[in-house]
Amino acid sequence: MDGITVLGYAACAVTALTFLPQVVKTWKEKSAKNVSLMMFLIAFVNEVMWIAYGVLRNDMVIIVTNVIMIIMCSVMISLKLKYKDE
Amino acid sequence: MDGITVLGYAACAVTALTFLPQVVKTWKEKSAKNVSLMMFLIAFVNEVMWIAYGVLRNDMVIIVTNVIMIIMCSVMISLKLKYKDE
């Protein structure tokens, strides 16, 4: 594995964590008034596309990264719908 | 260009738009109290890594996607710092 591939894996690992702080913050505050639902809907769509791309390319790093992201994204969408006006 | 590559390009295009609705919403509402700063800081770091990866791989699609995202992410970080308590 070359250095560029390692960088790609590291980028995937950091990317997978992106939504976690928002999920934790919303969970704790029980409020998501200023959070954009559309952002997470777009993220959901692009993660479905990335998972399909990963499956077709047989690329486990892309699949794992985007499965983690789509789970967090789904949690965030449900939290947003639950706390949308609070 | 095969169908899988087209899917990858389409996924990049949708990904590039992810943060736009949050930027627009925060800009309009002048409030970002419930938005996680850490989410955008993590996104900033991973976009720097993706841009480096794109440059090293000489992959213009990855570069363009992540330059768009890092610009929106930077705007969102400055809006969050401006409106953090509102």
Side-chain angles (χ1 to χ4, degrees), chain B residues 65-84:
Chain B
T65 302
N66 288 284
V67 165
I68 294 169
M69 290 198 80
I70 208 166
I71 291 168
M72 289 201 210
C73 189
S74 304
V75 172
M76 196 53 222
I77 289 169
S78 49
L79 287 174
K80 170 65 186 174
L81 293 174
K82 194 174 174 188
Y83 301 129
K84 61 182 171 180

Side-chain angles (χ1 to χ4, degrees), chain B residues 14-86:
Chain B
V14 178
T15 303
L17 295 173
T18 308
F19 293 152
L20 184 62
Q22 183 65 62
V23 169
V24 172
K25 186 176 170 70
T26 306
W27 184 270
K28 278 187 185 168
E29 294 181 356
K30 305 202 183 312
S31 174
K33 196 180 171 186
N34 313 125
V35 177
S36 168
L37 176 62
M38 187 55 72
M39 172 169 67
F40 288 97
L41 293 177
I42 292 175
F44 190 94
V45 171
N46 79 51
E47 282 140 27
V48 169
M49 293 169 87
W50 282 119
I51 292 167
Y53 181 84
V55 169
L56 292 168
R57 277 269 187 268
N58 203 15
D59 186 326
M60 199 46 78
V61 176
I62 290 179
I63 296 170
V64 171
T65 302
N66 288 284
V67 165
I68 294 169
M69 290 198 80
I70 208 166
I71 291 168
M72 289 201 210
C73 189
S74 304
V75 172
M76 196 53 222
I77 289 169
S78 49
L79 287 174
K80 170 65 186 174
L81 293 174
K82 194 174 174 188
Y83 301 129
K84 61 182 171 180
D85 299 322
E86 289 164 61

